[in-house]
Amino acid sequence: MFGKKKQPPIKSLIAQGTCIEGNLKFTDGLRIDGEVIGDICAGEGISSILVISESASVTGRIHADHVIINGRVMGPVHASELLELQPKAKIEGDVSYKALEMHQGAVIFGQLRPTSQEMEEKPVLKLAANNI
C-alpha cells in the first residue's frame, strides 16, 4: 500500500493452445498461458510485468521488471525489480533478481544471483599507517 509502485496493466495475452516461435518484445504487461519458443523482453524505460501461468511453457531468455512464474521456463530469467515464483514454477536456468518471493513447491535448476545494490562489491578501505 505505502511505498509500492502501481502495477502496469496486462494488455497482451498469449492464450492456452497457442505456440509462438520467435522473440517477443512487449510494453506494460504480458500474460502467457500458451507456449513461447524464443526470448521475451520488456521495453526499456517503462515499468513492466510478465505473468507465466501454470499452463505456460517458455523456452528462451526472460527480461522484465516484475516477473511472476507458475509454469515452466527453460532459460535464464532476469527480473530487474521483483521475481515471484508460485508453487508450480519450474525454472531450468540461472536467475537474477532485485527481490525474490518464492513459494513452497517452486523449483530452480540453476544459480540464484541477487542484483541489489547491497550485494555489489564495496570499495576497499585502507587504514593510514602509524608513524611512530
Side-chain angles (χ1 to χ4, degrees):
M1 188 167 139
F2 296 103
K4 285 189 173 182
K5 289 191 235 174
K6 185 180 176 194
Q7 292 292 334
I10 294 179
K11 294 182 177 179
S12 302
L13 168 69
I14 297 172
Q16 190 171 0
T18 302
C19 178
I20 294 180
E21 294 185 27
N23 297 336
L24 295 175
K25 188 171 183 179
F26 70 98
T27 58
D28 293 326
L30 171 64
R31 178 182 172 100
I32 300 173
D33 292 340
E35 182 179 3
V36 174
I37 301 170
D39 298 344
I40 302 171
C41 184
E44 295 292 322
I46 301 172
S47 182
S48 61
I49 184 168
L50 174 64
V51 179
I52 298 172
S53 75
E54 182 180 338
S55 62
S57 172
V58 175
T59 303
R61 296 176 178 270
I62 292 176
H63 191 289
D65 292 334
H66 185 176
V67 181
I68 301 170
I69 300 174
N70 200 25
R72 184 179 178 134
V73 175
M74 289 155 285
V77 176
H78 176 79
S80 52
E81 290 297 325
L82 174 63
L83 175 61
E84 291 182 49
L85 300 178
Q86 301 292 322
K88 295 192 177 180
K90 183 176 182 182
I91 300 174
E92 296 178 29
D94 294 343
V95 174
S96 61
Y97 55 88
K98 186 173 182 181
L100 174 65
E101 180 180 319
M102 187 172 179
H103 293 253
Q104 183 176 352
V107 179
I108 299 172
F109 297 99
Q111 294 183 351
L112 295 170
R113 292 189 182 112
T115 60
S116 64
Q117 293 176 342
E118 295 100 34
M119 299 305 290
E120 291 179 7
E121 190 174 324
K122 305 253 191 281
V124 177
L125 296 177
K126 293 184 181 180
L127 299 175
N130 286 336
N131 292 330
I132 301 179

